[in-house]
């Protein structure tokens, strides 16, 4: 905002800001209107509101944009978790016979869990590396849209990678946990 003297710049509209101290701003609206009308009865007075309300109105569009961005980011995170879960569930179902043989030969549930989660997380780490590299390369295009951080902010990259890694770990752990409950006899008989 730029505040100029109303005498220097002739305008049809003027704003008046009043500091109310401890008083409620909404209660003083009538008194301020009466004071203005006392000086110039022809002066129209409208839009009397608190500064909090003014700030809320000014920032409403940005707030809606940020809420939409948050909703879309949550949907993307959910879709990525569902995708990882689906792929891992499918691959563990396809490997049920192999897992049954491993369990029959003496592999424990922690061994199978470590095997399935390890294989899933290797793919996740490769995907995260490719995504972080792509984000770093494309961040210059978004540099003008950022406020308060740089385009290559390491804390942001680390936080996003940690969040995605944690979601992927849960998404791979659930099918891996189910794979540890495979009955070796049933899986061997099914082949």
């Amino acid at each position: 905002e730029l505040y100029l003297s109303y005498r220097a710049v002739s305008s049809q509209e003027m704003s008046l800001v009043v500091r109310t101290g401890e008083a409620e701003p909404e209660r003083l609206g009538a008194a301020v209107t009466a004071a203005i009308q006392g000086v110039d009865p022809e002066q129209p007075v409208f839009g009397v509101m608190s500064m909090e309300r003014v700030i809320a109105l000014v920032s409403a569009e940005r707030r809606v944009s940020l809420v939409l961005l948050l909703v879309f980011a949550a949907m993307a995170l959910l879709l990525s978790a569902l995708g990882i879960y689906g792929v891992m569930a499918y691959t563990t179902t396809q490997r049920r016979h192999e897992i049954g043989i491993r369990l029959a030969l003496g592999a424990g549930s922690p061994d199978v869990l470590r095997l399935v989660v390890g294989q899933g997380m290797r793919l996740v780490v490769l995907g995260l590396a490719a995504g972080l590299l792509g984000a770093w390369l494309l961040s210059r295009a978004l540099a003008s849209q950022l406020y308060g951080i740089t385009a290559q902010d390491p804390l942001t990259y680390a936080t996003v990678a940690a969040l995605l890694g944690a979601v992927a770990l849960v998404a791979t752990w659930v099918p891996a946990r189910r794979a540890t409950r495979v009955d070796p006899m049933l899986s061997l008989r099914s082949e």
Side-chain angles (χ1 to χ4, degrees):
E1 292 288 332
L2 180 63
Y3 296 96
L4 300 172
S5 170
Y6 74 96
R7 291 184 185 126
V9 177
S10 64
S11 172
Q12 299 294 346
E13 190 175 310
M14 181 180 7
S15 296
L16 175 67
V17 179
V18 178
R19 181 181 293 253
T20 61
E22 297 295 322
E24 297 274 334
E26 289 79 18
R27 290 186 178 181
L28 294 178
V32 170
T33 302
I36 293 171
Q37 297 294 321
V39 173
D40 184 1
E42 299 294 320
Q43 184 67 40
V45 178
F46 58 92
V48 178
M49 63 184 81
S50 68
M51 189 56 77
E52 287 83 15
R53 177 84 174 126
V54 170
I55 291 171
L57 288 174
V58 168
S59 63
E61 184 179 336
R62 177 175 286 160
R63 194 169 39 252
V64 168
S65 297
L66 290 176
V67 168
L68 280 174
L69 182 66
L70 180 67
V71 167
F72 288 140
M75 287 174 49
L77 187 63
L78 178 67
L79 286 174
S80 66
L82 288 174
I84 292 170
Y85 171 78
V87 168
M88 291 307 299
Y90 178 74
T91 57
T92 49
T93 301
Q94 294 296 316
R95 296 175 63 192
R96 188 170 20 125
H97 184 68
E98 173 199 344
I99 291 170
I101 291 173
R102 287 178 185 270
L103 289 171
L105 292 176
S109 294
D111 297 325
V112 172
L113 189 69
R114 195 170 28 255
L115 172 75
V116 175
V117 169
Q119 288 177 344
M121 288 307 289
R122 272 194 284 278
L123 295 173
V124 168
V125 167
L126 287 173
L128 279 174
L132 287 172
L133 178 65
W136 184 77
L137 292 173
L138 294 174
S139 64
R140 290 195 179 109
L142 296 175
S144 64
Q145 304 284 325
L146 301 175
Y147 175 76
I149 60 171
T150 63
Q152 284 89 21
D153 183 40
L155 181 62
T156 303
Y157 284 104
T159 304
V160 169
L163 177 66
L164 289 174
V167 168
L169 182 63
V170 171
T172 57
W173 184 81
V174 172
R177 182 76 180 131
R178 197 169 345 144
T180 62
R181 296 186 187 131
V182 169
D183 185 10
M185 294 307 291
L186 288 176
S187 71
L188 291 174
R189 284 184 187 152
S190 67
E191 288 290 319

